[in-house]
Amino acid sequence: NAGVTQTPKFQVLKTGQSMTLQCAQDMNHEYMSWYRQDPGMGLRLIHYSVGAGITDQGEVPNGYNVSRSTTEDFPLRLLSAAPSQTSVYFCASSYRGTHEQYFGPGTRLTVT
Amino acid sequence: EDKVVQSPLSLVVHEGDTVTLNCSYEVTNFRSLLWYKQEKKAPTFLFMLTSSGIEKKSGRLSSILDKKELSSILNITATQTGDSAIYLCAVVDSGYALNFGKGTSLLVTP
C-alpha cells in the first residue's frame, strides 16, 4: 500500500493563478480531508468528505474547492491564488467509524 | 477562541529527562482525543483516547485522558534525541474533523 499520496511536493504560484493539489489513497478509506498548516497556527481544516459525491466545508474553506468523484481521490483546487494561501497542505484519510487519520507527506505552496 | 490549547509551546530537555506535555480542550460533544508526532513532514499517529479508553502506553510514551478536567497529558520517559519533534493534540467533537492545538515543539539535546 502506498497509503496517502500527494502531488506536487512543492509549488510556486503567482497571485491570481489557479492550480489543483492532488491527493489519493489506496486504503479504501471513506473519509478524506484537507488541512493547511501555518507557523504558530497548528493544522486547520479546509474541506472534508465522508464518501464519494459528498463534501463539506471545514474551518477555512474560502478560496478553495473540492470534489470527490471516486473513493480514492480528493483534489483541492485553488481558484485564484493569493499570498495568504502560502502554506503547507496536508491531505488525510480514515475509515468511517474511526478518528485515526493517516496523513500524506504534504505540499509546500508559495504564492508570490 | 481556540478549542484545543497545548502547553508548553516549546520545550528543551536533556537526553534521559522525562517530559509531560499538556492538552486542554473545550468542545460541546467530546468524542475522542488524539496525539500525533510531527517530525519534518506528515504527522504520524501516536494515541487515541476516548471515554472507554482513557489511558494508553507504548514503550516510553504514555497518555492519559482526564474527562473531568477536559485535558490530557502525554508523557515521554528517558527521552532520546529522536523524540525531538512537534507533538500535536487534536480533539474530535462531531463527525470526523480533527480540531488541532498549535502543538508543542520538543527539542531533546544530547
Side-chain angles (χ1 to χ4, degrees):
Chain A
N1 281 355
V4 181
T5 58
Q6 291 183 236
T7 56
K9 289 190 169 59
F10 302 95
Q11 183 70 48
V12 179
L13 290 178
K14 289 187 168 28
T15 297
Q17 287 184 316
S18 63
M19 79 158 295
T20 299
L21 308 185
Q22 301 291 344
C23 173
Q25 51 88 13
D26 60 359
M27 298 174 281
N28 207 30
H29 285 169
E30 297 93 345
Y31 181 82
M32 296 186 74
S33 55
W34 277 101
Y35 294 87
R36 60 178 287 174
Q37 185 173 34
D38 303 295
M41 299 291 291
L43 281 89
R44 292 180 292 168
L45 181 66
I46 306 172
H47 284 285
Y48 65 95
S49 167
V50 297
I54 306 168
T55 64
D56 209 341
Q57 297 180 348
E59 181 187 353
V60 288
N62 291 344
Y64 308 95
N65 270 358
V66 291
S67 59
R68 184 98 179 268
S69 55
T70 67
T71 299
E72 294 77 22
D73 300 296
F74 190 44
L76 178 73
R77 295 184 191 84
L78 279 71
L79 309 171
S80 176
S84 61
Q85 293 179 305
T86 293
S87 188
V88 180
Y89 291 84
F90 288 102
C91 179
S93 71
S94 71
Y95 287 113
R96 214 163 167 176
T98 176
H99 301 150
E100 178 188 335
Q101 293 187 24
Y102 295 85
F103 283 79
T107 294
R108 184 173 292 276
L109 175 69
T110 302
V111 183
T112 60
Chain B
E1 298 89 20
D2 290 345
K3 288 185 179 182
V4 181
V5 177
Q6 292 186 244
S7 63
L9 289 180
S10 66
L11 192 55
V12 181
V13 301
H14 292 297
E15 241 181 341
D17 287 351
T18 293
V19 299
T20 298
L21 310 183
N22 299 284
C23 176
S24 63
Y25 60 90
E26 189 172 336
V27 297
T28 312
N29 296 305
F30 173 85
R31 296 183 67 194
S32 64
L33 184 146
L34 294 89
W35 286 97
Y36 283 84
K37 178 182 182 182
Q38 185 176 27
E39 295 175 88
K40 301 225 171 180
K41 292 208 170 175
T44 54
F45 174 78
L46 292 175
F47 299 119
M48 185 170 74
L49 303 162
T50 66
S51 300
S52 57
I54 61 170
E55 191 165 351
K56 294 285 174 78
K57 183 173 169 61
S58 176
R60 297 177 295 103
L61 276 67
S62 63
S63 183
I64 296 174
L65 176 69
D66 187 334
K67 283 207 71 181
K68 193 173 174 186
E69 296 296 327
L70 306 185
S71 65
S72 174
I73 59 170
L74 176 67
N75 276 328
I76 309 174
T77 59
T79 52
Q80 303 169 356
T81 55
D83 295 324
S84 297
I86 297 174
Y87 290 84
L88 298 164
C89 172
V91 171
V92 179
D93 59 350
S94 62
Y96 297 87
L98 297 173
N99 298 288
F100 281 92
K102 291 184 169 57
T104 293
S105 177
L106 174 65
L107 177 62
V108 181
T109 60

